[in-house]
Amino acid sequence: MSNQKHPLVSQATLAVVTTFSLFSASAANAASLNVLWYGQTDAYNAEISELAALAPTFDPAGDGSLNWNLTFWNPEDPTPTFSDYDVLAIGTGSKRGVLDFDPTGILNNKEVISEARGNRTFLTGQDADNHYTGNPGPRPNGPLGFLINAVNWAGSGEGMGIVALTDGWGPRDRRSRQWWLNDRSFLKDELEGYVSYFETNRVVIPTETSDFAVNEGLTTGGLSNWRASAHAAFNKNIPGYLSINDAGSRPGYAVTIVTASEADGDTLGLETVPTLESFLINGQSENINIFEGELVSATLSATDIDQDALDVYVNNQKLSTNTSSGSSGTISTTVQLGPFPDDGSYTQTAEVRDEDGVVSETVTRTVNVKNVAPTLQGFNLSNSVINEGDSAFAELFATDPGADSISFFLNDENIGTDTRTSGNRLTRTNLGVFADDGTFTYTGRARDDDGGISNTLTRTLTVNNLDPIITSLTEDFTIRTNTTFDFASTATDPGINDILTFDWDFDGDGLFDDFTGSSGEWSFSRSGIYAMNLRVSDGDGGVAFASFQAKAVPEPGSVFGLLTLGVLGVGSRLRKRKF
């Protein structure tokens, strides 16, 4: 089997192309047919290659043309895979000039041809391939257009179409092969009793079929006067077929018949649809599971017979453009999808579109996105060590790969929510004024709006005790012996929960065991100068000291002096001792 694209076009053909191009459409965006042509001589195959080269230029109606991917199946070649082709074309069954028809390959493959055969068959008594290089030559309104229309129409249906030119010039012509009615012919059962062999020079296109695509650009005049335009004809009553060209000299006979149900079918039915061969997500051809915030690698492979540039779409968004390469017309591209910002199930629908706007079938995958808990990135205290009575602040910040708001917790208490859905999310809170010394442990966590719980961070705050502050004390004074006097003191402590104890040392022994209380009464029985020493304790180890001086003088025999006291504050009288 050979695929012979003939590199040269004869001078006669070039002349036709020059004339024909005046009214033919551009073939730049033509679709393609895979054409299997039953070969004959080298000269014959070269002629058909020239015909194939002209096929994309044939578009008299201006509605589009078809490229031919031409393969020859010569009689000595192995049996081809017929399902790979859109049409099987079988030329004139004779031995004359460039013709040397050997039906062996056709007759030996009756069953496989029948199995691959599609819904369009074109049968004619005209030997257009013989007249292509003879009389009248490769005219668009003649053998060239006739052959191109036949192949394009038959190849534009479903399955493998059939084109068969006359199988000879009648039973008495020794050059004829007469294979149609051979017992091993795939056509015998439907043609037997309906074929007649005679020559006619007038071929008539009926009015009712003149606008069929299979007759595009052809006229009665163009198909007639070929010096024996047809050598066989068909009874017009043949079941399943319709005459598209009548035998002008024989009423009731058709020169060319086609499958009746497809007779008015167009020749662009094979506008090729690109095929999305695979849609892999992370290398898998099935639904996948990922975590929110992750990207997905999508690999798409597609084929396009026309080798058009293909646009890759996922979810109706164009992701890339690739030009198919090589005779296989295949492309492959890898794109990134995502990131997927939140948990849930996301449907990914892929397709490819060719440069003619034809869209492939869609392939769908589902990306199941699982929630990811936030990460508590930081937990800061304004100070890790403070004094009692001071306040402290805590700041927590977290990230989340998902588009989630984040709530923050200290010791399982919600201290705030940051509603932003990207970047660092944070909150700041006042831990309050610490009324007493101690060590305080705080455990921080974050929770996203999907319920994901972060890692924990722990911080310790140390609150130092402060000494109390004596704010007032009785001033120095002089008093008579055996005379009672009042004394008092006040004090504060930053630890507002501390209970202050006032202990006094009046006898100067260094022991603060003479009186307890913030105020009281006292007297001295002997004269002298006394240091009234005070110690204020907060119970947490903090103390403050202060003292005032009392001068006791002898008592006159009959006169009691007045005592002047300077007291800044008076407390309760707790107990009294006298020396």
Side-chain angles (χ1 to χ4, degrees), residues 94-95 134 296 348 412 479:
S94 183
K95 182 177 176 62
V296 167
Q348 307 298 300
D412 297 326
I479 192 172

Side-chain angles (χ1 to χ4, degrees), residues 75-197:
E76 68 276 10
D77 291 335
T79 300
T81 302
F82 293 107
S83 60
D84 288 343
Y85 299 94
D86 300 304
V87 58
L88 169 62
I90 305 169
T92 298
S94 183
K95 182 177 176 62
R96 177 181 181 181
V98 297
L99 302 174
D100 188 9
F101 187 83
D102 178 357
T104 303
I106 303 297
L107 300 179
N108 286 345
N109 288 281
K110 174 181 178 179
E111 289 77 13
V112 288
I113 293 175
S114 297
E115 183 179 351
R117 188 177 174 187
N119 64 344
R120 290 188 180 188
T121 297
F122 180 103
L123 304 176
T124 184
Q126 292 196 265
D127 55 338
D129 52 352
N130 183 48
H131 286 276
Y132 181 85
T133 54
N135 182 60
R139 295 190 317 196
N141 183 16
L144 183 146
F146 181 85
L147 291 169
I148 292 175
N149 279 346
V151 171
N152 287 353
W153 176 85
S156 295
E158 297 178 0
M160 184 180 70
I162 299 293
V163 172
L165 307 186
T166 182
D167 67 345
W169 288 291
R172 289 174 294 188
D173 192 320
R174 290 179 301 172
R175 295 169 298 181
S176 298
R177 294 297 181 257
Q178 304 285 286
W179 68 269
W180 282 353
L181 301 179
N182 188 289
D183 287 340
R184 292 184 293 150
S185 168
F186 67 92
L187 292 174
K188 178 185 178 182
D189 291 344
E190 54 203 71
L191 295 185
E192 193 166 33
Y194 294 95
V195 178
S196 295
Y197 293 93

Side-chain angles (χ1 to χ4, degrees), residues 3 48-50 57 69 113-114 130 141 160 169 191 205 213 255-256 284 289 349 369 411 508 516 520 542-543 575:
N3 192 329
I48 301 305
S49 294
E50 292 174 355
T57 69
N69 299 319
I113 293 175
S114 297
N130 183 48
N141 183 16
M160 184 180 70
W169 288 291
L191 295 185
I205 300 178
V255 169
T256 302
Q284 300 183 43
N289 299 318
T349 300
V369 181
N411 295 348
T516 297
V543 295
R575 79 172 183 260

Side-chain angles (χ1 to χ4, degrees), residues 24-32 53-59 64-67 308 355:
S24 64
S26 169
N29 292 320
S32 297
L54 293 174
T57 69
F58 184 76
D59 185 20
S65 61
L66 291 168
N67 289 312
D308 288 342
E355 61 191 55

Side-chain angles (χ1 to χ4, degrees), residues 14 31 104 117 124 133 266 306 312 314 376 476 481 498 577:
L14 286 173
T104 303
R117 188 177 174 187
T124 184
T133 54
D266 62 40
D306 300 338
V312 177
V314 175
L376 188 60
D476 295 347
T481 58
D498 289 349
R577 281 180 55 192

